[in-house]
Amino acid sequence: NNNTNNNTNNNTNNNTTKIAIIVYTLYGHIGTLAESVKKGIESTGAQCTIFQVPETLTEEILGKMHAPPKPKYPIMTAAKMEEFDSFMFGLSGRFGIMPAQMKSFMDSTGSLWMGGKLVGKTGGCFFSTGCQGGGQETMGIATVTFLSHHGMVFIPLGYVDPKVMSIDEVHGASAYGSGTIAGGDGSRQPSTLEKDVGESHGKHFATIAAKLAA
């Protein structure tokens, strides 16, 4: 996962769709998949920046969990969301639901909800879970409720990439979004198939987002 590359597309045309990928990544799986999604987004000419949400765990707890250092992505704030047309949320599963860190961030957007600041914007999601039953669909459903309350439009992956339906190997992804399977101990990294689907997801998402932002 190369987080040292320039994180923002240099295309600054005012008509360019601005998409923020907002992630919480503990062991790096979501960070890796986010890079593939970003590649797909940028292939359409859209402008894309990867952000991360604030960590809520202490350094002591993270150390006991053997968590690696955080990537160098900038921190997203609720206020900054007004600057973007569209959002992709990268979610690492916790007991079939999104992590508390992402939920805490979403809960901080109350002032945007009160002002209708996100109405009409678009959103999507992708996932990392320990196993195939770990939330590849339930986290998508949870994201839809957040978007709906803000009056936003959900753009699912569907099955636009046939690899989502492949049974040749274990892999993440569902109709709600692309995904990866980390394994119970987190040792499995995103596969070529999963990264390919992530790229397809980003391209499809950005194409639809641009039409709705026009």
Side-chain angles (χ1 to χ4, degrees):
N1 183 13
N2 184 359
N3 298 318
T4 60
N5 289 341
N6 183 8
N7 196 33
T8 306
N9 191 328
N10 291 325
N11 189 342
T12 56
N13 188 310
N14 289 335
N15 294 323
T16 300
T17 308
K18 294 182 65 178
I19 299 175
I21 299 177
I22 305 174
V23 306
Y24 175 72
T25 183
L26 183 59
Y27 294 110
H29 301 82
I30 281 294
T32 298
L33 192 57
E35 296 290 346
S36 294
V37 173
K38 180 175 184 281
K39 183 178 179 181
I41 289 172
E42 291 184 334
S43 73
T44 70
Q47 180 180 336
C48 182
T49 307
I50 302 176
F51 294 89
Q52 59 186 327
V53 299
E55 180 59 82
T56 60
L57 299 176
T58 65
E59 290 297 328
E60 179 183 3
I61 296 299
L62 290 171
K64 291 180 178 179
M65 296 174 71
H66 305 291
K70 291 293 181 185
K72 301 300 183 182
Y73 303 135
I75 300 295
M76 175 54 91
T77 64
K80 189 175 286 292
M81 292 183 77
E82 292 189 59
E83 301 173 13
F84 292 86
D85 303 302
S86 190
F87 309 92
M88 281 280 267
F89 295 93
L91 311 171
S92 55
R94 295 292 182 274
F95 302 105
I97 58 177
M98 70 176 63
Q101 292 83 351
M102 184 63 75
K103 182 61 167 62
S104 178
F105 170 76
M106 290 181 172
D107 287 348
S108 75
T109 63
S111 61
L112 300 178
W113 174 77
M114 288 288 291
K117 300 297 185 180
L118 302 182
V119 172
K121 295 180 185 288
T122 48
C125 48
F126 55 97
F127 328 100
S128 173
T129 60
C131 62
Q132 288 177 307
Q136 298 275 330
E137 292 182 307
T138 53
M139 283 194 286
I141 295 170
T143 303
V144 170
T145 64
F146 170 76
L147 299 176
S148 297
H149 278 267
H150 275 287
M152 300 170 70
V153 179
F154 178 59
I155 303 175
L157 170 62
Y159 294 95
V160 297
D161 189 330
K163 292 179 182 178
V164 175
M165 294 183 286
S166 171
I167 57 172
D168 294 334
E169 62 180 83
V170 172
H171 65 86
S174 68
Y176 295 94
S178 53
T180 185
I181 304 296
D185 61 359
S187 61
R188 183 182 183 276
Q189 295 300 312
S191 66
T192 297
L193 183 151
E194 290 169 334
K195 288 186 284 189
D196 286 348
V197 172
E199 187 174 341
S200 297
H201 187 193
K203 183 176 182 179
H204 172 70
F205 179 85
T207 299
I208 303 301
K211 293 177 180 179
L212 295 177

